[in-house]
Amino acid sequence: MTENTQTPSTPNSELPTQYAPAEVEGKLYERWVERGYFTADAKSDKPAYTIVIPPPNVTGSLHLGHAFQHTLMDALTRRKRMQGHEALWLPGMDHAGIATQNKVEQQLAEEGKSRHDLGREEFVDRVWQWKEEYGGKILGQMRRLGDGVDWSRERFTMDEGLSKAVQTIFKKLYDDELIYRAERIINWCPRCLTAISDIEVEYQEDAGELVSIKYGEGEDSLVVATTRAETMLGDTAVAVHPDDERYRHLIGKQIKLPLTDRTIPVVADTHVDPEFGTGAVKVTPAHDPNDFAIGQRHDLPSMTIMDEHGVITVHGPFLGLDRYEARSAVVGALRSQGRIVAEKRPYLHSVGHCSRCKTTVEPRLSMQWWVKVGPLAQAAGDAVRDGRVAIHPADMSKRYFDWVDNMNDWCISRQLWWGHRIPIWYGPNGEIVCVGPDEQPPAGEGWHQDTDVLDTWFSSGLWPFSTLGWPEKTPDLAKFYSTDVLLTGHDIIFFWVARMMMFGLYAMDGEVPFRTIALTGLVRDERGKKMSKSFGNVVDPLDWMDKYGSDAVRFTLAKGANPGTDVPIGEDWVQASRNFANKIWNATRFALMNGATVEGELPPAEQLSATDRWILSRLNKTVAQVDAYYEDFQFAKLSEALYHFAWDEVFDWYVELSKTTFFAGGEGARVSGRVLGEVLDVLMRLLHPVVPFVTETLWTTLTGRESIVIAEWPTDSGFRDDAAEAEIENLQAVVTEVRRFRADQGLQPGQKVPARLDLAGTPLAAHEAAIRQLLRLQPEGEGFSATATLPVAGATVALDLSGTIDVEAERKRLAKDLGAAEKEKQQAEAKLGNEAFLAKAPDNVVDKIKGRLAKAEADIARIQSQLSALPSA
């Protein structure tokens, strides 16, 4: 444990009788910000510790996923700040191209206008206006949660500095021939009218139809099956496996494509699975990524049959039909010609939808800009393989490698107006010029800039270094890059994490963007179900923060944070965390009223009671345990360790055991008050990164110092006292056993019982007063009769229950319970002894019966002990 170096003032032992988070949290947070506690100094000699926040969308608001990850990042940063690091947690927002443009277009639609009515420049101005008026709502909500971010360094992916970084790296990649323009298959949203990234495609099971269509005639015919009959209008081949004997005679031949006046070839391609369906597949290179690859291998033409709205643009009878209308019309026309040989409805299959507007995505051949990811992905994989970057938990590394080792080239152009416009200019004679941030674009008649903008992930991929001032060599970049930890959900490891790795290594000459990738799971409801508006189980964390306080929400989320696994959360658990905050408050208030203090030196061990030495030993072990868990990102375990140490050991045992000392007064009370003050001081500092508000209030009241935010993190002093720990464990065993016996006998917790304690020759003799107080045991008195004797932990507790219970009625009740337990044991043993039953029963059923047997045996032992403890008839 460390000595706090803040200048103390006179501690204030006055605390309100109840903790009211709403009256405390907002004021405390603004005080922290005003005093600059979260503002990092690039000129500091302290070692740097940096976390950049995964930038939330400018359109977003705080949801439980944000609250979860922000709680963990805040805990890491607050602890490092207390450990003496120059801690920077850098905030900011993403411009969220599609989402933001959709918001403004919806606003315009309500006015009866479209973006085309305004024109590009005026529309972009309108988006900036929207951003200033409505965007960034989440930033205020982050303050509610207690995020200790450096607001002086807040960034936005469209601000001037980050825009310069985007243009710089585009130019560098282009000059290094790592950016190119090509016609490829992309995910196209007919509603948003843009290409979208893989992460913006959500797959779900849709009920469609599977139709089998006969192509060709007689012996030169075959059958293909499809869920998208309308795309047959763009077929340019049928593919079969080269080793499929059924179709060997057709390979290389031309067959007639139904409903058209075209013939198409039959090609042999190993991509075709001869065991699936008919073993023959239609090939539509312009509307399917696999078909496009087949087309490339066989030099097939690509026919685009739909426009950007998903409307058919070819073949008279279907011209102008929406893709769904065309599907029905094509099937009808084929049916009338006898070409439909089988139909299956409904046919469930996985279909991609735009995550923004839920429109079914259309694979579409389109001219786009691409990043050649091969060398970049290789570097991103090598950085993890050679240990420069650690992935936590380690078993998530396989998923990372599966992605970076098999990454396809990345489509980076989007057909939007809001975003970083691609810095390419086209000339009147086919010239193409890439313009850097400090260069003037070509001028003159016929020159124009590319109309597309860059994928949002392009700019967010620069986040760890662009936010620190790159491409300028800023003091921030020198001090705070590489960042220490990237904490994010495992669901975006492929899309954001990998892109930051690629760009960071490329732009920063091989220096990694972060040293550790700590992956979390997703927040789910208390039953483990994904939170979804359609399920009706989405929770607004602000509602819980209003009701129970931000600390309660944070502690609940941290307690569920096992690395890489999903986090269930329910309101009952938040309420329990609120109760924990109240317990801390009430126990500290009692301690302050009874002399708990941090003033003066901690007495040496020889002046401390066994109870004092026990709690200090347990305190130091807890410090060491919490530190180990932090280094391993085990937030759930460190939260549980702190919870049980605080509630079970400090409040339920040490405070209770100290009451007799406090009531007695004198030197013993002074020593215990100093020990309790030490324990509370360290405990509050250990708890602070997870529950910052209540700990700030209690710690400053206890110590009289300025703020726990800038207090020193506790260190393990090495003090251990195994003998004292064993002594108090024995005391706990005595108290626990007698309490259990009292409860079994139906005695009320406050009911006093005469008792004789035989503690002679044991270390427990020094604790008789405390044991009697905890167990409500009166002195023996005249006429004492030991009607129940309990041997435990080397001591004997004799109780006189003659005046408190009906012994005979209690004996009959226990005998009945014993008979039931013995019957349960016999039935379980009979089933487990039946070989025929064991051979057929599932493992979970057998395990359940074994559990019943174990419980029955424990019940029998317990009841027999209770019976033997009753007085004789």
Side-chain angles (χ1 to χ4, degrees):
M1 291 166 287
T2 57
E3 178 67 25
N4 193 285
T5 56
Q6 295 182 64
T7 303
S9 57
T10 304
N12 175 15
S13 61
E14 293 298 321
L15 283 172
T17 56
Q18 289 184 320
Y19 177 49
E23 297 176 11
V24 170
E25 294 176 347
K27 296 175 184 177
L28 282 183
Y29 187 83
E30 294 309 317
R31 185 187 308 161
W32 293 335
V33 173
E34 288 167 7
R35 292 180 177 179
Y37 295 156
F38 306 141
T39 303
D41 182 2
K43 298 178 182 178
S44 167
D45 293 332
K46 297 178 182 178
Y49 182 82
T50 315
I51 294 181
V52 290
I53 204 165
N57 288 351
V58 66
T59 60
S61 59
L62 191 76
H63 57 63
L64 274 175
H66 291 130
F68 170 54
Q69 292 182 358
H70 288 205
T71 293
L72 306 188
M73 286 184 276
D74 196 28
L76 291 172
T77 312
R78 285 176 182 268
R79 173 174 174 263
K80 284 296 182 180
R81 187 179 292 113
M82 295 172 77
Q83 286 181 317
H85 288 72
E86 195 62 42
L88 169 61
W89 186 20
L90 195 149
M93 293 186 298
D94 190 283
H95 65 278
I98 295 177
T100 309
Q101 180 157 319
N102 278 350
K103 288 279 188 185
V104 179
E105 288 197 80
Q106 289 166 11
Q107 201 176 62
L108 286 173
E110 293 172 2
E111 301 170 14
K113 298 178 183 177
S114 74
R115 60 178 163 133
H116 300 285
D117 294 324
L118 273 66
R120 184 170 194 142
E121 186 174 343
E122 189 177 342
F123 176 78
V124 171
D125 287 343
R126 180 72 174 258
V127 179
W128 278 107
Q129 292 171 24
W130 182 93
K131 185 257 183 187
E132 294 304 317
E133 187 172 355
Y134 300 106
K137 176 182 178 183
I138 192 172
L139 300 179
Q141 296 167 343
M142 287 163 55
R143 302 170 96 93
R144 282 285 314 278
L145 188 66
D147 283 8
V149 297
D150 184 347
W151 292 111
S152 71
R153 286 178 167 87
E154 180 191 334
R155 303 306 299 267
F156 179 54
T157 51
M158 288 284 286
D159 68 26
E160 183 179 354
L162 270 64
S163 295
K164 182 177 181 180
V166 168
Q167 197 171 353
T168 300
I169 201 164
F170 187 100
K171 169 74 171 173
K172 181 174 170 60
L173 288 163
Y174 183 85
D175 290 346
D176 288 344
E177 298 183 348
L178 292 173
I179 281 182
Y180 64 95
R181 192 171 185 239
E183 195 174 40
R184 300 276 180 81
I185 292 284
I186 45 89
N187 301 308
W188 180 265
C189 176
R191 158 61 183 80
C192 298
L193 298 180
T194 181
I196 59 176
S197 66
D198 292 337
I199 196 173
E200 292 162 327
V201 178
E202 294 178 346
Y203 289 89
Q204 66 185 46
E205 291 291 311
D206 282 1
E209 60 180 352
L210 180 69
V211 294
S212 298
I213 309 168
K214 179 184 175 183
Y215 283 27
E217 302 293 343
E219 292 184 357
D220 291 347
S221 68
L222 39 68
V223 175
V224 299
T226 180
T227 58
R228 304 176 68 223
E230 73 280 6
T231 63
M232 68 159 291
L233 301 174
D235 285 359
T236 57
V238 173
V240 297
H241 194 278
D243 299 331
D244 194 332
E245 292 294 336
R246 295 170 295 176
Y247 305 117
R248 189 181 293 275
H249 68 289
L250 288 175
I251 296 172
K253 287 189 176 182
Q254 295 280 328
I255 62 172
K256 190 169 187 308
L257 180 65
L259 306 183
T260 73
D261 57 3
R262 293 190 292 117
T263 60
I264 58 176
V266 178
V267 299
D269 197 285
T270 54
H271 170 76
V272 180
D273 181 359
E275 302 298 322
F276 184 77
T278 64
V281 298
K282 60 191 288 298
V283 181
T284 320
H287 294 277
D288 182 275
N290 293 322
D291 292 4
F292 179 78
I294 293 174
Q296 293 288 97
R297 288 194 289 272
H298 297 277
D299 197 25
L300 299 173
S302 296
M303 289 185 60
T304 299
I305 64 163
M306 295 181 209
D307 67 12
E308 64 270 23
H309 298 281
V311 173
I312 301 298
T313 58
V314 299
H315 204 67
F318 311 107
L319 186 65
L321 295 181
D322 171 84
R323 53 185 168 159
Y324 299 113
E325 296 171 334
R327 182 174 303 170
S328 177
V330 166
V331 171
L334 290 168
R335 189 183 295 114
S336 68
Q337 293 184 7
R339 293 280 176 181
I340 301 295
V341 299
E343 297 180 68
K344 184 177 181 181
R345 294 189 187 88
Y347 179 73
L348 287 178
H349 61 130
S350 182
V351 178
H353 296 260
C354 174
S355 63
R356 302 297 178 191
C357 66
K358 311 308 177 188
T359 301
T360 300
V361 168
E362 188 66 39
R364 186 168 188 264
L365 186 63
S366 179
M367 183 68 75
Q368 302 284 346
W369 285 96
W370 304 80
V371 171
K372 186 185 296 183
V373 300
L376 303 174
Q378 175 71 42
D382 290 346
V384 175
R385 287 189 174 94
D386 64 25
R388 282 176 289 155
V389 177
I391 293 180
H392 190 90
D395 58 9
M396 286 283 181
S397 297
K398 183 180 183 302
R399 297 181 65 185
Y400 176 81
F401 291 132
D402 285 346
W403 178 252
V404 297
D405 292 347
N406 300 285
M407 193 183 296
N408 296 318
D409 283 0
W410 171 20
C411 176
I412 56 172
S413 45
R414 298 291 180 267
Q415 290 65 54
L416 303 170
W417 288 355
W418 172 245
H420 297 99
R421 195 164 174 182
I422 289 177
I424 293 288
W425 267 256
Y426 303 102
N429 299 310
E431 303 96 331
I432 298 179
V433 176
C434 182
V435 178
D438 299 319
E439 299 172 350
Q440 290 297 318
E445 186 176 348
W447 283 95
H448 64 280
Q449 187 178 359
D450 196 300
T451 57
D452 288 352
V453 300
L454 287 163
D455 177 13
T456 297
W457 296 100
F458 191 95
S459 53
S460 61
L462 315 182
W463 193 251
F465 54 95
S466 65
T467 53
L468 297 173
W470 186 90
E472 306 302 326
K473 294 182 179 179
T474 64
D476 276 5
L477 194 64
K479 178 72 174 180
F480 297 111
Y481 190 91
S482 299
T483 69
D484 289 85
V485 178
L486 173 73
L487 191 144
T488 190
H490 62 65
D491 56 323
I492 58 172
I493 185 173
F494 314 127
F495 309 106
W496 187 48
V497 177
R499 280 148 173 65
M500 286 190 290
M501 284 286 281
M502 292 191 302
F503 281 170
L505 291 162
Y506 174 74
M508 299 299 293
D509 299 321
E511 195 173 354
V512 298
F514 23 75
R515 300 182 186 94
T516 299
I517 302 169
L519 297 170
T520 69
L522 307 179
V523 179
R524 297 180 177 270
D525 71 12
E526 64 266 34
R527 297 178 181 84
K529 194 173 183 179
K530 181 180 178 180
M531 288 191 174
S532 166
K533 290 181 180 178
S534 61
F535 295 153
N537 62 350
V538 174
V539 173
D540 184 344
L542 295 168
D543 292 341
W544 281 352
M545 290 154 75
D546 289 340
K547 194 171 181 180
Y548 303 111
S550 297
D551 283 337
V553 174
R554 290 171 61 115
F555 194 67
T556 306
L557 291 165
K559 281 186 73 177
N562 291 299
T565 60
D566 290 347
V567 182
I569 185 172
E571 186 168 3
D572 288 350
W573 305 343
V574 183
Q575 186 173 354
S577 294
R578 187 273 313 273
N579 294 344
F580 178 55
N582 288 342
K583 182 76 171 181
I584 299 171
W585 183 274
N586 293 333
T588 304
R589 185 169 178 271
F590 168 84
L592 289 168
M593 292 170 62
N594 286 275
T597 181
V598 297
E599 297 302 311
E601 294 293 324
L602 194 66
E606 57 269 18
Q607 294 181 19
L608 302 177
S609 68
T611 306
D612 294 333
R613 296 196 307 276
W614 161 73
I615 198 62
L616 292 174
S617 182
R618 290 294 307 129
L619 177 65
N620 276 281
K621 287 183 178 179
T622 301
V623 171
Q625 189 177 44
V626 168
D627 274 335
Y629 286 146
Y630 261 114
E631 296 305 313
D632 200 32
F633 301 97
Q634 297 280 359
F635 296 97
K637 290 183 178 179
L638 72 89
S639 299
E640 286 288 344
L642 287 169
Y643 175 88
H644 289 295
F645 174 71
W647 196 307
D648 300 346
E649 297 185 275
V650 178
F651 304 146
D652 279 0
W653 284 105
Y654 184 73
V655 169
E656 292 299 319
L657 289 169
S658 299
K659 283 182 179 179
T660 53
T661 307
F662 287 139
F663 295 159
E667 181 61 15
R670 188 194 68 79
V671 170
S672 289
R674 180 64 187 89
V675 171
L676 182 53
E678 178 77 7
V679 171
L680 292 174
D681 170 18
V682 173
L683 175 60
M684 294 306 154
R685 285 186 276 151
L686 290 174
L687 281 167
H688 174 71
V690 180
V691 284
F693 295 108
V694 68
T695 51
E696 169 82 334
T697 304
L698 295 176
W699 188 85
T700 53
T701 302
L702 171 70
T703 66
R705 296 188 172 100
E706 180 182 337
S707 175
I708 197 171
V709 178
I710 53 172
E712 290 186 34
W713 181 254
T715 56
D716 176 11
S717 71
F719 178 80
R720 300 288 189 275
D721 195 324
D722 293 338
E725 288 195 42
E727 182 175 326
I728 301 304
E729 284 173 9
N730 284 337
L731 182 153
Q732 291 171 330
V734 169
V735 173
T736 301
E737 177 62 20
V738 175
R739 279 177 173 167
R740 186 190 60 76
F741 179 77
R742 286 175 57 111
D744 287 341
Q745 306 308 316
L747 297 178
Q748 295 299 315
Q751 190 172 351
K752 295 183 178 180
V753 177
R756 179 172 61 241
L757 274 59
D758 184 3
L759 309 175
T762 75
L764 296 178
H767 303 285
E768 180 168 351
I771 292 173
R772 285 189 176 277
Q773 178 181 324
L774 290 170
L775 291 171
R776 305 295 189 268
L777 300 180
Q778 294 178 319
E780 300 171 41
E782 189 175 348
F784 176 83
S785 174
T787 60
T789 303
L790 302 173
V792 57
T796 303
V797 179
L799 305 173
D800 183 355
L801 305 177
S802 57
T804 57
I805 63 170
D806 184 334
V807 176
E808 191 56 36
E810 183 63 16
R811 189 180 298 281
K812 287 180 180 179
R813 183 185 71 80
L814 290 172
K816 183 178 179 181
D817 290 348
L818 181 62
E822 289 173 337
K823 183 177 180 181
E824 175 71 5
K825 178 186 176 186
Q826 291 169 1
Q827 290 174 341
E829 286 176 335
K831 285 191 174 182
L832 294 173
N834 185 334
E835 293 296 333
F837 169 78
L838 294 177
K840 296 180 180 178
D843 290 345
N844 65 316
V845 173
V846 174
D847 290 342
K848 187 175 181 180
I849 294 172
K850 287 180 179 178
R852 285 169 49 193
L853 176 60
K855 182 178 183 302
E857 289 174 339
D859 287 343
I860 290 169
R862 175 179 56 80
I863 296 167
Q864 287 176 337
S865 174
Q866 291 175 236
L867 283 167
S868 65
L870 289 174
S872 303

